[in-house]
Amino acid sequence: MIEELKLIVGSDEKILYEGKPNKKCYIFESIFNPLLPFALIWAIIDFGIIGGAVLSEGPDNMLFFLIPFMLLHMMPVWIYLGGILFTARRYKNTAYIVTDRAIYVSGGVFTRTINTKPFAELSHIDLHRGIFDQMFNVGDVIATSNQLTMNGKVTSINISSISDYIDVYNMVKKLQTDIYTDIMYPNDKRPKENHGYKTEY
């Protein structure tokens, strides 16, 4: 997927980092996600109702209606299990590239989505390390946009579960600071000789 992602990178851009998330951490985070306790409670209740209906001596037509209804009612459980089953495909489609101009992230299950955020649109960079990140010695670099969506929400682009998170964080932070400062304090309308904020971009 990285080779396909490289095709999106502009010819005038220099690739500074390329990678994928840590596979073990990615799988653990897919299994132990916030939906897990909700799906477990939901499954216990629904299977209890189905089991009680099967063990009771009620009319057959009631079971004929109740079991399909309860299986449909268990949709949150099926969504959770489906997320786990498609983890391998999601991992295959996930890749990251950082250039001297932007961050590129690909993902998706059945369809492939590529998100791009130029450094000129980023307001700040954060570093996040969850429980599994610390367990597998990886981290997430979160780049937040300075532009709002039509709904007024702030968007971000994440480079998640990578082993060299410190290096990538420092690199992305420097690129964002340099380029954003160059835009806020224009440099002679960008002539060939750059008089801006210590930049070469």
Side-chain angles (χ1 to χ4, degrees):
M1 189 61 201
I2 289 181
E3 294 305 316
E4 183 176 337
L5 192 58
K6 285 181 179 179
L7 299 176
I8 309 299
V9 176
S11 58
D12 59 341
E13 294 181 65
K14 180 181 178 182
I15 294 178
L16 304 175
Y17 169 81
E18 59 182 74
K20 292 177 68 67
N22 178 280
K23 194 169 187 178
K24 290 182 180 179
C25 184
Y26 193 87
I27 292 172
F28 267 73
E29 288 182 338
S30 296
I31 296 173
F32 298 99
N33 65 56
L35 188 59
L36 174 58
F38 180 73
L40 283 175
I41 294 171
W42 199 280
I44 291 170
I45 293 173
D46 281 10
F47 276 122
I49 294 172
I50 294 173
V54 170
L55 294 175
S56 68
E57 297 181 0
D60 290 340
N61 60 347
M62 184 185 76
L63 291 178
F64 182 78
F65 167 78
L66 182 61
I67 292 177
F69 172 77
M70 294 307 295
L71 291 176
L72 181 62
H73 189 260
M74 289 177 63
M75 190 60 66
V77 179
W78 308 138
I79 292 174
Y80 168 76
L81 293 175
I84 295 175
L85 290 174
F86 291 114
T87 296
R89 186 172 181 85
R90 227 173 31 247
Y91 177 81
K92 180 182 178 182
N93 291 338
T94 301
Y96 312 120
I97 285 180
V98 178
T99 73
D100 56 353
R101 299 285 182 87
I103 299 174
Y104 297 81
V105 174
S106 68
V109 179
F110 299 108
T111 59
R112 293 179 179 177
T113 303
I114 295 177
N115 293 321
T116 306
K117 285 291 180 188
F119 286 110
E121 295 182 6
L122 300 178
S123 60
H124 56 276
I125 313 299
D126 297 311
L127 184 61
H128 173 265
R129 298 191 72 207
I131 295 174
F132 295 115
D133 291 327
Q134 296 176 52
M135 183 184 300
F136 294 103
N137 197 29
V138 298
D140 309 330
V141 178
I142 304 170
T144 304
S145 174
N146 57 22
Q147 298 185 352
L148 302 178
T149 64
M150 294 184 66
N151 298 328
K153 295 182 178 179
V154 175
T155 60
S156 62
I157 189 165
N158 300 348
I159 306 173
S160 303
S161 305
I162 56 172
S163 57
D164 41 0
Y165 60 94
I166 293 291
D167 293 337
V168 174
Y169 170 79
N170 288 330
M171 176 181 63
V172 170
K173 181 67 177 174
K174 184 179 186 305
L175 287 164
Q176 184 271 335
T177 301
D178 287 351
I179 293 175
Y180 190 72
T181 305
D182 241 6
I183 292 171
M184 295 301 293
Y185 302 95
N187 50 14
D188 300 341
K189 296 184 179 179
R190 301 186 182 277
K192 291 182 179 179
E193 185 178 350
N194 192 331
H195 299 139
Y197 176 75
K198 300 185 297 183
T199 62
E200 299 175 354
Y201 316 117

